[in-house]
Amino acid sequence: MKTRVLKINDLQRDVNIIEQASELIRAGQVVAFPTETVYGLGANALDPRAVEKIFKAKGRPGDNPLIVHVSKTRDVDRLISELPPKARVLMEAFWPGPLTIIFKKSPIVPDKVTAGLNTVAIRMPNHPVALKLIDCCGFPIAAPSANRSGHISPTTAQHVLEDMEGRIPLILDGGKCSVGLESTVLDLTAQIPVILRPGGVTLEMLQEVLGEVRVDINVLKPVSDGRKVKSPGMKYTHYAPRAQVLIVRGKLDGIVERINELAEEYAAQGMKVGILATRETRERYGIGEVLVLGGRTQPAVMASNLFSALREFDDRAVDIVLAEWVDTSNEGLAIMNRMVRAAGFNVIDV
Ligand code: AMP
Ligand code: MG
């Protein structure tokens, strides 16, 4: 299959491109499209055969459910069996935006989408191309991140092409994703709302609107054997570049000192070393390929650069990435949630 990439510069002028994409999706095909979080791999959420093609293109395990994307709040009604009052408040406050809400599902949502769960994950993306595409289709679009399963999520159309060439007919290019990390996944089916996956809508933002909010124990820790996870995606290795990743946690001076020591040791073994630094520390590293996430006081900026930095290390063919731990408040929680998974939970304390 030939994969075409079509750039959307002006939504009004390029509306015919969106129409082509929606025609493919209506015919049961899979199309990659931009959102503000990461690029998605979309198909008709109400057609199990189309949804099956997403799993196939990604190589995604069938027990990992998909997020259903809508363009209007009222699109949610027929997908769910119950609308909790808290959900109404959240949709008002954060949609369109990087917040996915878990609802009890209605019978029209195929089991394939929810991996057999009786709940469904729904969000309204804050991206004009995504919203127009959903509108044009006239039905909700199921979409996971448009990467091969286990690999780093794509934040540009070029990233999608690297993973999906020959596997899907069309990629819509809407430029770089502004948030750069996947949405926050919030479970509202328990008494107290629980963040299953942190993202662009932060714990602090949710607490302001909802009061008490919990963070699932597996956000920064591996799932212990035998524990039943609420979000199946949490048990899989994720976001992994080809290089091994090692995170160093502690006081900033200690982190820099240890990374410099490790860099020397690995380089002496003939390994090509990458260092994931911050603006405050970049000048303090002596050797290695140093990439800067952003300033430590700007977690949203660091978040938006994380996945492209990990891909860049792959392009530079580094063997090991030494990464600094960053503060886990605000978007920092989402950054470290992705980083510890990229590192296979390899964290050194200093
Ligand atoms: P992705 O679309 O690749 O960003 O992954 C979607 C994430 O949402 C995964 O971590 C899923 O496990 C999670 N998810 C989707 N549907 C549900 C659901 N019904 N309950 C809990 N987690 C879900
Ligand atoms: Mg994903």
Side-chain angles (χ1 to χ4, degrees), residues 90 93-94 98-99 184 195 199-211 213 330-331:
L90 288 169
F94 299 111
L99 176 68
T184 303
I195 293 179
V201 171
T202 64
L203 171 64
E204 292 82 350
M205 289 156 78
L206 290 169
Q207 282 169 331
E208 206 160 288
V209 171
L210 293 178
V213 178
N330 301 305
E331 290 84 353

Side-chain angles (χ1 to χ4, degrees), residues 283-303:
E283 304 298 335
R284 299 173 63 186
Y285 294 110
I287 53 169
E289 304 276 325
V290 182
L291 293 181
V292 176
L293 271 189
R296 287 184 157 264
T297 55
Q298 292 171 301
V301 174
M302 291 195 284

Side-chain angles (χ1 to χ4, degrees), residues 92-129:
E92 187 98 339
F94 299 111
W95 280 10
L99 176 68
T100 297
I101 302 172
I102 310 283
F103 296 92
K104 295 212 172 90
K105 85 174 196 77
S106 78
I108 70 159
V109 182
D111 280 342
K112 191 76 224 166
V113 171
T114 63
L117 298 173
N118 58 6
T119 52
V120 59
I122 307 179
R123 106 172 171 99
M124 188 193 294
N126 187 15
H127 194 292
V129 171

Side-chain angles (χ1 to χ4, degrees), residues 7-177:
K7 172 106 187 142
I8 295 173
N9 295 305
D10 176 330
L11 200 54
Q12 308 276 299
R13 234 189 19 234
D14 296 331
V15 73
N16 66 312
I17 299 178
I18 306 272
E19 275 159 9
Q20 282 181 54
S22 73
E23 237 151 72
L24 282 167
I25 294 178
R26 264 184 270 137
Q29 297 294 316
V30 173
V31 171
F33 63 97
T35 79
E36 82 281 28
T37 58
V38 300
Y39 274 73
L41 204 54
N44 181 351
L46 304 179
D47 175 357
R49 281 218 305 253
V51 169
E52 176 61 36
K53 288 187 189 153
I54 297 177
F55 283 87
K56 207 162 161 234
K58 277 191 68 117
R60 185 176 177 103
D63 66 348
N64 194 1
L66 307 179
I67 294 171
V68 176
H69 294 74
V70 297
S71 60
K72 295 180 201 69
T73 308
R74 66 167 185 275
D75 294 346
V76 167
D77 297 345
R78 62 180 178 144
L79 303 173
I80 66 176
S81 63
E82 201 181 301
L83 182 65
K86 281 180 183 149
R88 210 185 285 272
V89 175
L90 288 169
M91 285 162 22
E92 187 98 339
F94 299 111
W95 280 10
L99 176 68
T100 297
I101 302 172
I102 310 283
F103 296 92
K104 295 212 172 90
K105 85 174 196 77
S106 78
I108 70 159
V109 182
D111 280 342
K112 191 76 224 166
V113 171
T114 63
L117 298 173
N118 58 6
T119 52
V120 59
I122 307 179
R123 106 172 171 99
M124 188 193 294
N126 187 15
H127 194 292
V129 171
L131 292 171
K132 186 82 191 166
L133 181 64
I134 300 164
D135 266 349
C136 232
C137 286
F139 46 72
I141 294 183
S145 50
N147 51 282
R148 298 283 287 272
S149 193
H151 196 210
I152 305 159
S153 300
T155 53
T156 65
Q158 180 56 35
H159 294 163
V160 180
L161 190 63
E162 284 164 20
D163 277 28
M164 288 295 153
E165 183 151 32
R167 300 180 152 253
I168 57 173
L170 178 62
I171 299 168
L172 297 181
D173 182 352
K176 188 185 167 197
C177 302

